[in-house]
Amino acid sequence: QVQLVESGGGLVQPGGSLRLSCACSRSIFSFNAMGWYRQAPGKERELVATINSVDSRNYADSVKGRFTISRDYAKSTVNLQMISLKPEDTAVYYCWGRRSDGDYWGQGTQVTVSP
């Protein structure tokens, strides 16, 4: 069974930073692509950032220059470093991974940006 478990969410003031981590129960080598999505209250889930097997990265325009996605093969984690956080970044952040046998999602971690 493939499991993705997020951690690192929390409450932070505008302008602050957070680092999200997604721990995978399988080697991340088995994933063709991985990434982060988010869903704010009353809104649809949206892509935040993805990284593929050749480390090509893709970011939503709203987070470019502020968020950085990375993978740690030794720890089998996918990480999202977030700086200069804004109130509009408030959402539940979900880890996502795509393998040959389908897509997988974590349970989500809440990020709240508020004074």
Side-chain angles (χ1 to χ4, degrees):
Q1 184 178 0
V2 180
Q3 291 185 321
L4 303 177
V5 180
E6 303 96 336
S7 62
L11 173 64
V12 64
Q13 293 186 343
S17 302
L18 278 176
R19 181 179 174 87
L20 304 183
S21 185
C22 173
C24 309
S25 62
R26 295 287 188 271
S27 169
I28 59 175
F29 280 109
S30 69
F31 290 88
N32 299 318
M34 300 195 74
W36 292 89
Y37 284 70
R38 68 186 181 186
Q39 187 167 19
K43 295 187 177 181
E44 294 187 353
R45 190 173 297 190
E46 64 175 2
L47 179 148
V48 176
T50 61
I51 184 169
N52 66 15
S53 58
V54 293
D55 281 346
S56 177
R57 294 165 171 83
N58 181 49
Y59 295 95
D61 287 343
S62 59
V63 307
K64 283 180 180 176
R66 300 187 299 121
F67 291 11
T68 303
I69 189 170
S70 62
R71 296 191 294 184
D72 187 325
Y73 289 96
K75 296 180 180 179
S76 286
T77 60
V78 178
N79 307 301
L80 186 68
Q81 180 67 48
M82 307 184 293
I83 65 171
S84 302
L85 283 161
K86 305 175 181 180
E88 51 262 43
D89 294 318
T90 295
V92 178
Y93 284 70
Y94 296 91
C95 180
W96 163 83
R98 174 165 290 171
R99 292 169 23 125
S100 59
D101 58 355
D103 285 11
Y104 294 87
W105 293 91
Q107 292 299 306
T109 186
Q110 176 70 45
V111 172
T112 302
V113 185
S114 179

